[in-house]
Amino acid sequence: MSEEDPDYEKGKSRLAEAINLYRDSIVAEADKLSSQSDYIGAIKVVKDALGVISDDVTLKEKITLLESQFLNSVIAKSDEYIKADDYVRASAVINEALETLPQNETLLKKIDSIKGQEADFEKSKIISTARTYADKKDYLNAMKEIKSYYDKNTDDSEMKALYENYCDKYVQSVISSADGLVAEKKYTEAIKALEAAIQVLPENTSLTDKLAYVNDKKPLSIAELTPINEGNWQM
């Protein structure tokens, strides 16, 4: 059959008409779905149609528009969760979108941004909690709070400085308490307090030196003396 054959031309015309009808029905269905904010469904419909007429310009333009609308809606929804400090849901929205638009640069950058914001949020909560403890002179728990973060992020200079600051204040408070107990001749209590602190900071020389000092200062009890002849005692 030649291209000049009337039947060929009629067939060609009917094929073009069928393609136009098919395309129009796909566009109409995609528009209906997108109007209901079902961008994933709309994108799927157009993608499937492109599997049939892959070179259709109208459908290519349609899917580009749908993907852009979908992307904007996803980013907006994620931002709403971020404003509420709900980073888990914000990430979930982006990860779900990546199933439809895998390797999308905007989505990949957004998920990285959310991770960074979540880390900053968690860090700020830890710092706030630590400061609340410190305001109550509870430097031990303030120190522990910062340590829980710093142990996993040892390159964080801000948290390192805070940790060292609370360590110093904790040591100072323990030593001050021990000095008060020694002044009241409560040596056993002072020793126990220092030993407990050394369990927390075993390499702190201020604590170990103070413990040695208190042990030297503490008077010997009768039980610690050894009797010798004639009722005399020796250490």
Side-chain angles (χ1 to χ4, degrees):
M1 183 182 292
S2 66
E3 293 186 3
E4 290 78 15
D5 189 313
D7 290 336
Y8 174 80
E9 291 301 324
K10 285 181 182 179
K12 185 177 178 182
S13 176
R14 287 175 181 173
L15 177 61
E17 183 179 349
I19 288 173
N20 287 336
L21 288 172
Y22 176 66
R23 179 200 305 116
D24 290 346
S25 69
I26 292 299
V27 170
E29 186 178 356
D31 285 343
K32 180 181 178 181
L33 290 168
S34 63
S35 70
Q36 299 168 349
S37 298
D38 184 3
Y39 297 107
I40 294 177
I43 289 170
K44 184 180 185 305
V45 165
V46 178
K47 274 186 176 180
D48 289 346
L50 280 169
V52 178
I53 45 176
S54 59
D55 59 346
D56 190 272
V57 175
T58 300
L59 291 181
K60 286 182 178 179
E61 290 176 348
K62 190 65 179 175
I63 201 166
T64 298
L65 175 62
L66 287 169
E67 287 179 350
S68 176
Q69 292 174 327
F70 174 56
L71 192 61
N72 290 337
S73 70
V74 167
I75 296 298
K77 189 173 183 180
S78 176
D79 285 342
E80 287 179 9
Y81 285 129
I82 289 171
K83 286 179 182 178
D85 295 324
D86 190 344
Y87 299 97
V88 173
R89 289 187 180 180
S91 296
V93 167
I94 301 299
N95 284 324
E96 184 180 357
L98 281 166
E99 294 178 9
T100 302
L101 300 177
Q103 303 306 313
N104 180 275
E105 187 176 346
T106 299
L107 293 176
L108 292 173
K109 286 182 178 179
K110 188 66 175 177
I111 201 74
D112 285 342
S113 172
I114 291 171
K115 288 178 181 177
Q117 289 174 282
E118 183 177 16
D120 289 342
F121 176 70
E122 291 302 320
K123 176 180 172 179
S124 67
K125 281 205 313 184
I126 288 170
I127 291 174
S128 177
T129 301
R131 284 176 176 163
T132 299
Y133 282 126
D135 288 344
K136 298 175 182 177
K137 309 299 182 185
D138 184 356
Y139 299 114
L140 175 59
N141 278 315
M143 183 180 69
K144 287 181 177 179
E145 195 71 25
I146 298 298
K147 190 175 187 296
S148 68
Y149 178 94
Y150 180 61
D151 282 348
K152 301 172 186 176
N153 303 272
T154 54
D155 58 341
D156 191 317
S157 58
E158 179 187 9
M159 296 302 267
K160 179 183 180 182
L162 277 174
Y163 177 67
E164 291 175 348
N165 178 48
Y166 289 137
C167 281
D168 288 343
K169 288 184 176 180
Y170 171 63
V171 169
Q172 291 167 16
S173 69
V174 171
I175 288 175
S176 176
S177 176
D179 285 340
L181 291 168
V182 168
E184 296 176 14
K185 302 189 183 305
K186 296 179 179 179
Y187 301 101
T188 300
E189 291 180 36
I191 290 170
K192 286 181 179 179
L194 288 165
E195 287 176 340
I198 290 170
Q199 288 292 317
V200 178
L201 298 173
E203 297 180 4
N204 187 278
T205 55
S206 295
L207 291 173
T208 54
D209 288 349
K210 177 59 71 171
L211 178 61
Y213 167 80
V214 176
N215 275 319
D216 286 342
K217 191 86 172 173
K218 177 186 176 184
L220 291 173
S221 65
I222 295 295
E224 294 172 308
L225 297 175
T226 303
I228 57 174
N229 56 32
E230 303 269 332
N232 293 315
W233 299 82
Q234 68 177 10
M235 291 176 22

